[in-house]
Amino acid sequence: ESLLKEVEGFTTSDLKAVEEFRIKMLGKKGAVTALMGEFRNVPNEQKKMFGQKLNLLKSAAQEKVNLLKEELSHTSTSAGEKLDLTRPAEFTPLGARHPLSVVRKEILDIFSRIGFSISEGPEIEDDFHNFTALNFPPEHPARDMQDTFFIDEEIALRTHTSSVQVRVMENSTPPIRTVSPGRVFRNEAISARAHCIFHQVEGLYIDKGVSFADLKQTLLYFAQEMFGEKTEIRLRPSYFPFTEPSAEVDVSCQICNGKGCNVCKHTGFLEIMGCGMVDPNVLENCGIDSNVYSGFAFGMGIERITMLKYQINDLRHFFENDLRFLNQFKSAY
Ligand code: PHE
């Protein structure tokens, strides 16, 4: 009984004293341990009562020790010293930016430097913004160019970020200079070269007197900033419903300097994007007077640019979160 009172009344602010108390009560030669030893000498009829009190004492002592230790650990270390706030922190492993984020930022930075703003829009888009405004006639086979995930007849996952440019044109007056980064979706079988989700940056420039020469020079500037100042570009005629004329843009191969190798299939060039002069119908659909204004547009896949820049041969790496792949981009800011 008196030991129980002692246990309950005990208090200290010194960890060493807590440890001494523990040894005194619960240690091999401690008071509680000694009483345990006494147990067999207790007359049978008292054993039950004695046992209960002993258990009570033991757990009270244990709880007291734990409580005091817990309290004191907040203000001092186990050696009883004050916490050392100058101790160097433990090493925290840092992650790496995803290569697509690295390259998206690089693309946006390049266009920001020549006055392009950044615009974003919804991933779930209506038919008007993804197709109709962009001069895809209803039932026209051009809609099949981009296999679409439809949500219902009028609503789909956007197949390109040209839809964002439509929104920008609707909501502002020229001059317009904007780049639109974002995720896009196409119903394609997944392989090393295609995926049902990928990322684009599309660009739009509308003002009075914008010409094809402006487009070419802008793309050359981009290619040289992205791939190095010796990079050359080549334009090949192409078709998009929203641009006329339209072109496919190639850059000289980085591996062989345009001389021809396995990577560029001995052509010396690799395709990086589509582009063209905005079709007057598109300007009109978006409330811009095509007699006053003209413009150019271009669109590229961030995956494709990243694959060329870092010589990645399989698109699926970008989506599989394999740390052996991602860790290689630790130094790429
Ligand atoms: N929107 C086209 C695509 O997704 C790319 C493009 C944009 C082409 C602008 C020409 C002009 O394939």
Side-chain angles (χ1 to χ4, degrees):
E1 301 266 316
S2 68
L3 272 173
L4 190 58
K5 283 217 177 83
E6 190 185 332
V7 166
E8 280 168 353
F10 180 73
T11 184
T12 177
S13 58
D14 179 4
L15 261 180
K16 256 190 217 154
V18 178
E19 183 59 11
E20 276 161 19
F21 176 75
R22 190 190 66 79
I23 291 167
K24 183 172 151 203
M25 291 294 166
L26 301 162
K28 269 208 181 104
K29 292 181 183 157
V32 177
T33 320
L35 282 174
M36 295 283 207
E38 287 292 303
F39 190 69
R40 59 190 157 84
N41 301 329
V42 174
N44 270 346
E45 63 276 17
Q46 289 178 26
K47 267 201 163 82
K48 191 175 169 201
M49 234 246 295
F50 186 87
Q52 279 174 352
K53 288 205 165 155
L54 192 56
N55 277 337
L56 197 69
L57 177 66
K58 191 178 169 190
S59 50
Q62 192 62 59
E63 261 172 44
K64 187 63 142 202
V65 168
N66 291 345
L67 186 76
L68 287 171
K69 275 195 180 163
E70 165 72 18
E71 275 176 17
L72 292 174
S73 69
H74 293 307
T75 50
S76 55
T77 67
S78 58
E81 301 154 2
K82 286 272 175 257
L83 195 64
D84 179 4
L85 293 172
T86 65
R87 222 177 98 187
E90 270 177 42
F91 174 68
T92 316
L94 275 183
R97 262 183 204 266
H98 194 280
L100 294 178
S101 302
V102 172
V103 172
R104 179 185 53 201
K105 179 175 187 305
E106 209 172 331
I107 297 170
L108 297 178
D109 283 351
I110 290 171
F111 285 105
S112 299
R113 291 203 284 277
I114 52 171
F116 280 75
S117 66
I118 296 167
S119 49
E120 290 182 306
E123 293 181 347
I124 298 172
E125 198 40 288
D126 53 52
D127 180 273
F128 178 76
H129 290 93
N130 197 81
F131 292 121
T132 304
L134 290 160
N135 206 31
F136 287 79
E139 311 306 327
H140 191 278
R143 286 181 194 246
D144 296 338
M145 279 171 72
Q146 306 182 340
D147 303 289
T148 310
F149 288 116
F150 282 98
I151 291 172
D152 67 25
E153 239 170 73
E154 285 295 309
I155 308 289
L157 299 181
R158 68 181 176 197
T159 59
H160 49 187
T161 57
S162 303
S163 56
V164 180
Q165 308 185 329
V166 172
R167 289 176 179 277
V168 172
M169 287 189 276
E170 285 175 325
N171 296 318
S172 45
T173 46
I176 294 169
R177 273 187 230 96
T178 191
V179 275
S180 313
R183 274 202 297 192
V184 300
F185 308 85
R186 292 184 195 177
N187 192 356
E188 299 212 33
I190 295 170
S191 72
R193 323 189 116 257
H195 208 288
C196 56
I197 301 177
F198 63 100
H199 300 76
Q200 282 190 324
V201 175
E202 294 216 358
L204 176 73
Y205 175 33
I206 296 174
D207 203 349
K208 289 177 184 155
V210 176
S211 72
F212 202 89
D214 296 323
L215 170 60
K216 263 179 92 174
Q217 201 56 36
T218 304
L219 297 179
L220 180 62
Y221 158 78
F222 167 74
Q224 295 186 339
E225 290 290 302
M226 193 66 185
F227 296 108
E229 58 188 58
K230 295 217 170 67
T231 307
E232 289 172 29
I233 62 167
R234 182 175 82 173
L235 271 65
R236 285 177 290 110
S238 185
Y239 172 77
F240 299 101
F242 34 89
T243 46
E244 183 61 34
S246 305
E248 222 62 71
V249 184
D250 300 341
V251 288
S252 52
C253 179
Q254 301 308 298
I255 314 290
C256 58
N257 281 322
K259 290 190 183 66
C261 66
N262 283 335
V263 172
C264 56
K265 304 215 175 66
H266 304 283
T267 61
F269 282 88
L270 292 156
E271 185 184 318
I272 57 161
M273 66 173 118
C275 70
M277 300 306 291
V278 180
D279 192 301
N281 287 344
V282 174
L283 296 177
E284 296 296 335
N285 290 342
C286 301
I288 291 173
D289 187 346
S290 63
N291 294 313
V292 180
Y293 294 106
S294 59
F296 65 68
F298 55 86
M300 68 188 96
I302 303 179
E303 280 80 357
R304 176 142 189 89
I305 304 285
T306 310
M307 287 169 88
L308 293 180
K309 195 158 164 117
Y310 292 105
Q311 291 165 38
I312 296 162
N313 57 14
D314 193 323
L315 190 63
R316 289 167 291 198
H317 286 308
F318 292 123
F319 302 97
E320 283 172 358
N321 288 332
D322 185 333
L323 287 178
R324 291 169 303 179
F325 173 71
L326 296 174
N327 275 329
Q328 295 178 56
F329 297 89
K330 274 202 164 158
S331 57
Y333 80 108

